[in-house]
Amino acid sequence: NVRTTHGRAETIKDEFDFIVSRAVTTMPTFVSWVKQKVSKEQNHPLKNGILYLKGGDLTDELQVYRNTTIYDLSDYFEEDFFETKKVVHLPIKYKG
């Protein structure tokens, strides 16, 4: 029940429950690229949206988003690489 697509956001025409990416730009810019590609139909306990691998201090970048969940990867992996890495879950809401 998993389908992946590897490509640039602007070339993808489908909709997905989750958009998964490493950090390629700031969250506001990325959201503008992909928000229309998130499916409105909910199939999971985790709300449809973006799962974004980011590093460093995200306080300023994410302050406009009230409903993010940040998962510190150092809680799951012991390697030094993951010490500052996080996965940000940003649910995408739709006006009903």
Side-chain angles (χ1 to χ4, degrees), residues 4-93:
T4 64
T5 301
H6 178 218
R8 297 185 57 85
E10 60 271 17
T11 65
I12 308 271
K13 303 296 181 208
D14 296 327
E15 288 186 350
F16 303 90
D17 294 346
F18 300 99
I19 306 295
V20 180
S21 180
R22 65 178 177 82
V24 293
T25 188
T26 63
M27 185 64 88
T29 300
F30 190 74
V31 168
S32 73
W33 292 348
V34 302
K35 66 183 175 186
Q36 299 303 323
K37 299 171 190 321
V38 175
S39 175
K40 295 170 182 69
E41 182 179 336
Q42 281 294 139
N43 296 304
H44 315 280
L46 189 64
K47 300 277 187 208
N48 291 4
I50 297 169
L51 294 166
Y52 208 48
L53 175 66
K54 294 282 286 183
D57 184 1
L58 305 175
T59 306
D60 289 341
E61 183 175 343
L62 298 179
Q63 70 183 355
V64 299
Y65 303 107
R66 297 182 203 160
N67 55 350
T68 58
T69 302
I70 299 173
Y71 301 94
D72 290 314
L73 291 182
S74 62
D75 293 344
Y76 304 93
F77 301 100
E78 295 179 7
E79 292 84 0
D80 291 341
F81 172 81
F82 296 105
E83 191 171 311
T84 63
K85 303 297 185 212
K86 300 160 180 45
V87 171
V88 178
H89 173 242
L90 175 63
I92 301 294
K93 293 184 178 182

